[in-house]
Structure formats: structure tokens, C-alpha cells
């Protein structure tokens, strides 16, 4: 009995020996918990369910493992060891912290527990564009609309889903669109044109699609447009067909030459003759040529510079009034890309001489009648021709001379042939009109003028025939003066007759010599009276 009791006690003792010391470290279990990312210092993680209390100094707990320093113990409570400068960042640490907790009793390892802490993600990161995807890039101006031209990519450390947005307020937003919100593929929305825009700029946003915060980020994207050979050359200066449209109306180049021009480079207005490739970024070499109007080599074009040279002078100015040339410029590498312009070469008289009238005064007569218009005639009833001659022309007739009466008169008109027409029915007999006729060379602007003295004769009155005598002796001298001179001559004749009579008397009465002188004086003194009597009939 006693033996049995002893045995039981011993067993109990042994049991207690084994159970009691072990019980302090036992009772715990592995810990699997989750905590939020960015949890603060001291954040409760778990209570360890071992029996003993580490404060008793009989047991000791020890944390080991990679993430051990993220934990600390407060009795049997495991807490987070973090600080302001050392935050629990899932993006840095990964999604789990793993450590081991060893329980020593009397420096003997009694038990070991695993601590596995999952870090719950918090949206603490913004998306970021991958720099290599937002570098300036170049695309051809011929890129097809609706094709994907570029892909951008942004990442979010929290692993959030990202959608891409083109900022519609950015300058060139309308050139592109994003095909699918999450793709980051930029699709060309409308045609590009290097000639109007060489660079585009747009702002892109990358935004979290699946978070509450919808964090975003932006990037400026620069798109360089590469010139391609899509345009024809055009002559300069370019007058756009309509504003903003890169299509030019080619100018008409004009120049004036005279017979003196020979083997000379012509200067044009607008000038010089020059073309440029519509593709300014490419600027291919151009070739000039004359399509038509070269007049058997009279005009030559420099196929590189567009300079036009006249090789043969113009001889017959009347026949070769103008030359019209058609010139072409084309790309050297693609002759089908060309442009055509007109060149007008006007041949002008050298204008060494101005037009002149052969007289400063013309004499005209018109007989009053009821006819509304009659041609003014001159002495001998000849048609009065008031014509200027121009020595620049071999026959003296410059077809560019324009005749006019200045100031213009309602009674007279002059034809371009130099014939004076009068409104006969509005004239009065004995009227006298002094008209100013101007001949103007419309090409050079040079002018000559002459006056026309028109006398209106009574119905039935004959046009003086004395043209021959008067013009022969007095030329263009005013008729009034001519009349005066005629009268003086008559007087001289009379004086001479008187002299003869006096000499005859003298022979008879030699004693009366002094009287001769008195008579001569009287004759000369009569002169002004004679002239004055003629005056009323003229004016
Ligand atoms: C953990 O232990 C502490 C002290 O022993 C106690 O105050 C607390 O309520 C326990 N927490 C849990 C969740 O059991
Ligand atoms: C808490 O972390 C800091 C920094 O790593 C470390 O120096 C310190 O010893 C840790 N505290 C505990 C109780 O492990
Ligand atoms: C980006 O976020 C800011 C605030 O953080 C907001 O004002 C802005 O509208 C967002 N941009 C887009 C394109 O949603
Ligand atoms: C050619 O001459 C005309 C008049 O004769 C003048 O109006 C024009 O300006 C001249 N053109 C040039 C290019 O000299
Ligand atoms: C241009 O002109 C030069 C000299 O007149 C000639 O040698 C050359 O072949 C021409 N080039 C073309 C492309 O017509
Ligand atoms: C020559 O050109 C001018 C204007 O450029 C025009 O007025 C004139 O009528 C032309 N002459 C001929 C004969 O074509
Ligand atoms: C002056 O010119 C006119 C008209 O051309 C002509 O009829 C006349 O004979 C000329 N007179 C002289 C003196 O040359």
C-alpha cells in the first residue's frame, strides 16, 4: 500500500516536476494576424497566451528573425516597433513580417512560436509615369489618323489600376485621344501638318481608377512632327488661297524691257523669281524651266536659280508688244511635284524722246451750222490735224499717245487721231476759242501741249484761203499780228509812193525840202490806228 502510495507520489512529483516548469512557456501558439500599413508605434499585434509572466524572471522571451525589430514585447503583448522616420510601408517591406518568438525558462528553450503579420495595403502612393514613356517623341506628319502613335505607362506602388486622361485644356489635346482608359495608348485624332505645326504639346493625367482617393499625376508630353514630302513647291511670294490653308496662288512676274535690253538678266516685280518646297523641313532642290513662250531661245531660265535672261534684243516693237512665258518649277527628286507661274515681259519704247507738236499754235475755223458736230478745218478748208510726233518711233507715230483738251470743253472734242470736233449747233458766229490740247504718252507719262485758236465763221462764210500766203510768210505768228504787219507793209508801200510823188514835187519846187520829213512822220503815226480798226473784227 505504502509502496503504491510512494510510487504515486513519486509519479505525481515527477509529473509536477515535468509539468510545472514546462507550463510557464507552454500554452502559446503561432500568431497569424493582419495590421494596417502605416500603423503607429505601439500598435497592438497580439497577446501571447503562454502561462508564465515574463516579469517573473523565470521565463524570458526572445524575438528573432528578419522582421524581429518591427516588434517589441510588453509583458506577453506583442506591439509594433515603428517611428515617424520608420513607418510600416508595405511597398518597402513586402506584404508580411515574419519573426520567431522563443521562450526560455531557466535559460533553456522551452517553446518557439512563429509570428506572421500580414500588412494590409493602404493607398498611400500616387501613380507615377515611367519616365521612358513620356520622353519627347517624333512622328511623321503622314501618320494615319486613328492609328496608335504612342503608349504611355504609369505605375502605382500600391498596385492600383490606372486610367489615362488627356487634359482637354492643354494646347493640342484635340490631336490625340486615348483608345481605352486603362491602355495608355495615344491614338491620332486628326491629320498632322508639319507646315502648320512642327511640335505638339499635351498634358496627360494618370489617375487611380479603383481607389477612393483617385490619386493622380500629370506629365507634359511633347510630340515632334517630322516633315514628309507631301507638298508641291510654290513660287514666292505665296498668297494663300485662303487663310490657314497651305495652298499658294502663284504670282505673275512682270517686267518691262526696251529695245536696248540684250543679253541681260531681267528684274521682275514681284521679284526675284524664286520658289520653295512646300515641305519647308525637307527643302528638296528645285529645278526651273520655261514651259512656253521662250520665243526660240530669246528667253532662258537658269534651272537652279530661276533667273531669266534675255538673249536677243527686241527689234520690232510694234509686232512684239508683250511676251508671256509660262515657267515651271519642280522637285529634283520628284518631277511630278511641280508648280507653274506666268511671266509677263512688256516691251516699252526706250522713251529717249518725248512727244512734240510741230507747232505751238494751230489755227482752226469752223462754220456755224445746225449740225451737232463738225470737223474743225484750217486754212484752205483742210482738216485741222493736231498730232504730236515721237522720235522714239521710226514713223514718228506713237500709238500710246492720248490726246485731250484741257480743261475739257463741252464745245470741242479731240479724237485719238488728232482731229478736232466742234458742237457746231452751240457755237456763235464771230466767237473765238483758244483751246489747250495735251498729248500724253501713256507709257512714259511724258506730255506735250499746244494751243488751238478756233474762229467761228458765219454761215456761208468761206474759210480763209490765205493759209498759203499767211503761213508761207508768217508761219505760226498770230493772225492779228500778221494782219498788223500786212497793214504796216501797205503803209510802207504807200509811203514809198508818197515819196516818189514828193520827189516829183521836189524837182518842181526845189525850195520846199523840209516838208518831206513831216509827211513821213504822219505816215508812221497812222500805223497804230490802222491796226486798231482791224481789232474788233477779230475778237
Ligand atoms: C491582451 O493582454 C492585456 C494585458 O494582459 C489585456 O489588457 C488585453 O485586454 C488583452 N487583449 C486581448 C485582445 O486579449
Ligand atoms: C525598434 O526599432 C529600432 C530601429 O530599428 C531599434 O533600434 C530598436 O531596438 C527597436 N526596439 C525594440 C524594442 O526592438
Ligand atoms: C488630380 O487630383 C487633383 C487633386 O489632387 C484634382 O484637383 C484634379 O482634378 C485631378 N485631376 C484629374 C484629371 O482628375
Ligand atoms: C512697267 O511699266 C509700266 C508703265 O509703263 C509701269 O506701270 C510698271 O510699273 C512697270 N513695271 C515694272 C516692273 O517696272
Ligand atoms: C541645268 O542647266 C545646266 C546648264 O545649263 C545643265 O548642264 C544641266 O543639265 C541642267 N540640269 C537639269 C536638271 O536640267
Ligand atoms: C501688254 O500687257 C499690258 C498689261 O500688262 C496690257 O495692258 C496690254 O494690252 C498688253 N498688250 C498686248 C498687245 O497684249
Ligand atoms: C504739223 O503737223 C500737222 C499734223 O501732223 C501737219 O498736218 C502739218 O503739215 C505739220 N506742219 C509742218 C509745218 O510740219
Amino acid at each position: 500500500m505504502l509502496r503504491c502510495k510512494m510510487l504515486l507520489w513519486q509519479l505525481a512529483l515527477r509529473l509536477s516536476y515535468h509539468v510545472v516548469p514546462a507550463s510557464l512557456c507552454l500554452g502559446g501558439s503561432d500568431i497569424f494576424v493582419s495590421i494596417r500599413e502605416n500603423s503607429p508605434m505601439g500598435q497592438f499585434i497580439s497577446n501571447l497566451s503562454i502561462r508564465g509572466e515574463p516579469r517573473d524572471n523565470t521565463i524570458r522571451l526572445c524575438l528573432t528573425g528578419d522582421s524581429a525589430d518591427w516588434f517589441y514585447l510588453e509583458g506577453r503583448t506583442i506591439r509594433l516597433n515603428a517611428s515617424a522616420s520608420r513607418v510600416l510601408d508595405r511597398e518597402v517591406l513586402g506584404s508580411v513580417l515574419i519573426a520567431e518568438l522563443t521562450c526560455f525558462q531557466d535559460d533553456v528553450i522551452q517553446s518557439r512560436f512563429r509570428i506572421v503579420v500580414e500588412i494590409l495595403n493602404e493607398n498611400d502612393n500616387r501613380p507615377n509615369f515611367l519616365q521612358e514613356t513620356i520622353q519627347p517623341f517624333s512622328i511623321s506628319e503622314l501618320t494615319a489618323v486613328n492609328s496608335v502613335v504612342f503608349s504611355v505607362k504609369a505605375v502605382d506602388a500600391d498596385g492600383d489600376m490606372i486610367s489615362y486622361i488627356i487634359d482637354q485644356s492643354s494646347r493640342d489635346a484635340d490631336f490625340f485621344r486615348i483608345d481605352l482608359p486603362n491602355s495608355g495608348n495615344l491614338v491620332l485624332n486628326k491629320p498632322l501638318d508639319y507646315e502648320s505645326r512642327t511640335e505638339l504639346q499635351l498634358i496627360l493625367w494618370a489617375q487611380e481608377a479603383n481607389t477612393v482617393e483617385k490619386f493622380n499625376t500629370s506629365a507634359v508630353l511633347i510630340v515632334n512632327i517630322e516633315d514628309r514630302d507631301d507638298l508641291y513647291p510654290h513660287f514666292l511670294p505665296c498668297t494663300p488661297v485662303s487663310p490657314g490653308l497651305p495652298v499658294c496662288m502663284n504670282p505673275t512676274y512682270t517686267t518691262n524691257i526696251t529695245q536696248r535690253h540684250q543679253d541681260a538678266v531681267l528684274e521682275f516685280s514681284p521679284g526675284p523669281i524664286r520658289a520653295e518646297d512646300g515641305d519647308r523641313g525637307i527643302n528638296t532642290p528645285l529645278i526651273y524651266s520655261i514651259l512656253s513662250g521662250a520665243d526660240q531661245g530669246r528667253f532662258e531660265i537658269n534651272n537652279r536659280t530661276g533667273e531669266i535672261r534675255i538673249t536677243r534684243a527686241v527689234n520690232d516693237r510694234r509686232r512684239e508688244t508683250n511676251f508671256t512665258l509660262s515657267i515651271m518649277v519642280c522637285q529634283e527628286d520628284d518631277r511630278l511635284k511641280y508648280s507653274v507661274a506666268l511671266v509677263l515681259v512688256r516691251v516699252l519704247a526706250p522713251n529717249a524722246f518725248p512727244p512734240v507738236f510741230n507747232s505751238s499754235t494751230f489755227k482752226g475755223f469752223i462754220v456755224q451750222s445746225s449740225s451737232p458736230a463738225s470737223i474743225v478745218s484750217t486754212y484752205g478748208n483742210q482738216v485741222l490735224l493736231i498730232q504730236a510726233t515721237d522720235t522714239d518711233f521710226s514713223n514718228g507715230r506713237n500709238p500710246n499717245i492720248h490726246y485731250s483738251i484741257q480743261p475739257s470743253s463741252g464745245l470741242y472734242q479731240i479724237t485719238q487721231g488728232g482731229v478736232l470736233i466742234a458742237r457746231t449747233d452751240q457755237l456763235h458766229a464771230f466767237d473765238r476759242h483758244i483751246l489747250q490740247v495735251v498729248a500724253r504718252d501713256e507709257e512714259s507719262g511724258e506730255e506735250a501741249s499746244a494751243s488751238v485758236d478756233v474762229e467761228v465763221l458765219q454761215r456761208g462764210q468761206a474759210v480763209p484761203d490765205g493759209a498759203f500766203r499767211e503761213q508761207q510768210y508768217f508761219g505760226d505768228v498770230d493772225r492779228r499780228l500778221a494782219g498788223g504787219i500786212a497793214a504796216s507793209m501797205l503803209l510802207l508801200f504807200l509811203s514809198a509812193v508818197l515819196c516818189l510823188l514828193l520827189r516829183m514835187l521836189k524837182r518842181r519846187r526845189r525850195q520846199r525840202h523840209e516838208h518831206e520829213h513831216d509827211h513821213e512822220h504822219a505816215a508812221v503815226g497812222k500805223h497804230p490806228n490802222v491796226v486798231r480798226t482791224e481789232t474788233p473784227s477779230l475778237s
Side-chain angles (χ1 to χ4, degrees):
M1 243 343 246
L2 192 71
R3 258 183 87 100
C4 196
K5 261 186 172 178
M6 274 282 285
L7 206 74
L8 271 170
W9 184 82
Q10 264 184 347
L11 186 75
L13 198 73
R14 185 170 287 180
L15 268 174
S16 75
Y17 179 81
H18 281 284
V19 168
V20 171
S23 70
L24 288 177
C25 269
L26 292 179
S29 60
D30 289 346
I31 294 165
F32 297 100
V33 292
S34 300
I35 60 166
R36 294 181 63 80
E37 189 180 1
N38 304 313
S39 288
M41 170 69 180
Q43 168 76 38
F44 171 81
I45 290 174
S46 182
N47 278 347
L48 192 66
S49 51
I50 52 168
R51 296 207 184 126
E53 188 66 44
R55 265 167 295 198
D56 295 347
N57 286 333
T58 49
I59 60 167
R60 190 160 56 85
L61 293 172
C62 189
L63 280 164
T64 54
D66 289 346
S67 309
D69 59 354
W70 280 99
F71 308 105
Y72 69 92
L73 289 159
E74 207 179 72
R76 281 177 302 183
T77 307
I78 304 167
R79 293 189 182 275
L80 182 71
N81 178 22
S83 69
S85 60
R86 192 164 165 271
V87 293
L88 185 67
D89 189 349
R90 184 179 195 264
E91 285 71 43
V92 173
L93 300 170
S95 56
V96 285
L97 297 176
I98 296 174
E100 283 187 342
L101 187 64
T102 315
C103 184
F104 295 88
Q105 187 168 11
D106 302 324
D107 292 333
V108 177
I109 295 173
Q110 295 296 329
S111 59
R112 205 174 248 172
F113 309 103
R114 275 159 61 81
I115 303 174
V116 178
V117 176
E118 185 195 10
I119 304 172
L120 296 177
N121 193 20
E122 271 211 324
N123 188 16
D124 56 349
N125 285 286
R126 300 177 159 269
N128 269 312
F129 278 106
L130 296 179
Q131 283 304 310
E132 64 270 24
T133 70
I134 51 168
Q135 294 304 307
F137 68 101
S138 300
I139 54 174
S140 154
E141 64 172 332
L142 300 181
T143 304
V145 172
N146 295 328
S147 59
V148 173
V149 292
F150 202 66
S151 293
V152 294
K153 187 164 171 59
V155 291
D156 187 303
D158 299 318
D160 297 326
M161 195 193 275
I162 292 169
S163 59
Y164 302 88
I165 301 157
I166 293 173
D167 193 323
Q168 290 306 315
S169 70
S170 55
R171 200 180 65 188
D172 302 310
D174 51 341
F175 277 93
F176 300 97
R177 63 173 195 271
I178 301 266
D179 59 351
L180 293 166
N182 303 117
S183 74
N185 288 341
L186 277 111
V187 175
L188 187 62
N189 215 20
K190 63 179 199 181
L192 300 171
D193 176 32
Y194 175 87
E195 281 64 40
S196 54
R197 296 293 298 281
T198 58
E199 187 204 276
L200 303 176
Q201 252 188 41
L202 65 159
I203 298 171
L204 279 175
W205 291 93
Q207 189 181 45
E208 293 172 356
N210 57 343
T211 63
V212 179
E213 296 85 0
K214 296 228 179 301
F215 286 138
N216 65 37
T217 186
S218 68
V220 175
L221 202 59
I222 294 177
V223 183
N224 294 308
I225 299 173
E226 289 170 350
D227 201 3
R228 287 290 183 274
D229 194 4
D230 59 335
L231 294 181
Y232 283 34
H234 55 252
F235 284 97
L236 296 174
C238 164
T239 314
V241 169
S242 72
L245 199 68
V247 179
C248 300
M249 278 187 290
N250 284 327
T252 296
Y253 297 103
T254 57
T255 192
N256 295 333
I257 61 166
T258 68
Q259 278 133 310
R260 285 196 294 261
H261 279 82
Q262 183 170 10
D263 199 25
V265 171
L266 301 179
E267 280 186 19
F268 290 89
S269 159
I273 294 179
R274 205 168 72 75
E276 70 174 12
D277 186 4
D279 304 299
R280 285 195 302 274
I282 300 179
N283 242 332
T284 55
L286 303 176
I287 294 176
Y288 299 86
S289 56
I290 295 178
L291 287 183
S292 67
D295 196 25
Q296 282 134 30
R298 188 192 297 281
F299 299 101
E300 281 177 5
I301 197 163
N302 180 317
N303 60 22
R304 285 289 169 204
T305 62
E307 216 171 57
I308 290 184
R309 169 176 286 273
I310 179 167
T311 57
R312 236 174 38 236
V314 176
N315 297 319
D316 188 348
R317 183 179 173 276
R318 300 279 301 275
R319 267 198 318 126
E320 302 159 325
T321 317
N322 291 336
F323 294 97
T324 305
L325 286 75
S326 173
I327 57 169
M328 181 173 93
V329 65
C330 63
Q331 290 183 201
E332 190 177 34
D333 57 355
D334 184 357
R335 302 266 173 136
L336 292 178
K337 292 208 166 76
Y338 67 92
S339 199
V340 172
L342 278 187
V343 171
L344 188 65
V345 179
R346 299 181 37 166
V347 184
L348 302 187
N351 259 317
F353 303 97
V356 286
F357 284 110
N358 61 5
S359 166
S360 62
T361 317
F362 291 84
K363 182 69 193 176
F365 298 99
I366 187 82
V367 181
Q368 193 204 10
S369 82
S370 55
S371 142
S374 308
I375 290 171
V376 176
S377 56
T378 188
Y379 295 111
N381 216 0
Q382 300 287 305
V383 171
L384 173 62
L385 284 176
I386 306 157
Q387 290 177 332
T389 50
D390 189 334
T391 319
D392 289 326
F393 293 78
S394 53
N395 64 353
R397 291 275 156 266
N398 178 346
N400 299 311
I401 286 183
H402 177 85
Y403 295 98
S404 61
I405 294 173
Q406 283 177 3
S408 64
S409 141
L411 298 177
Y412 295 94
Q413 273 185 341
I414 188 158
T415 70
Q416 293 317 303
V419 176
L420 202 57
I421 314 265
R423 298 286 308 267
T424 335
D425 55 342
Q426 294 185 13
L427 300 177
H428 306 289
F430 308 119
D431 275 359
R432 195 166 168 207
H433 301 111
I434 309 288
L435 309 171
Q436 188 79 9
V437 171
V438 174
R440 180 184 158 84
D441 182 342
E442 292 291 319
E443 234 172 34
S444 65
E446 290 163 329
E447 287 184 352
S449 73
S451 55
V452 188
D453 177 354
V454 184
E455 261 182 64
V456 184
L457 305 176
Q458 245 176 322
R459 271 169 211 268
Q461 193 181 347
V463 171
D465 219 5
F468 175 75
R469 219 175 49 208
E470 279 194 3
Q471 274 203 320
Q472 194 88 331
Y473 293 120
F474 311 113
D476 307 301
V477 184
D478 189 286
R479 192 171 178 252
R480 195 188 305 190
L481 188 57
I485 293 168
S488 319
M489 289 186 73
L490 191 67
L491 274 174
L492 279 170
F493 176 70
L494 287 173
S495 318
V497 170
L498 208 60
C499 266
L500 275 171
L501 284 170
L502 283 172
R503 276 191 192 161
M504 283 162 72
L505 274 173
K506 203 162 64 178
R507 273 183 213 160
R508 288 181 194 175
R509 295 189 283 175
R510 290 179 184 217
Q511 66 271 33
R512 293 175 67 189
H513 288 291
E514 63 278 357
H515 284 252
E516 283 175 35
H517 207 65
D518 286 346
H519 276 283
E520 266 183 27
H521 262 290
V524 172
K526 258 183 180 174
H527 180 193
N529 292 335
V530 176
V531 172
R532 220 172 285 138
T533 52
E534 271 208 357
T535 313
S537 71
L538 280 167
S539 49

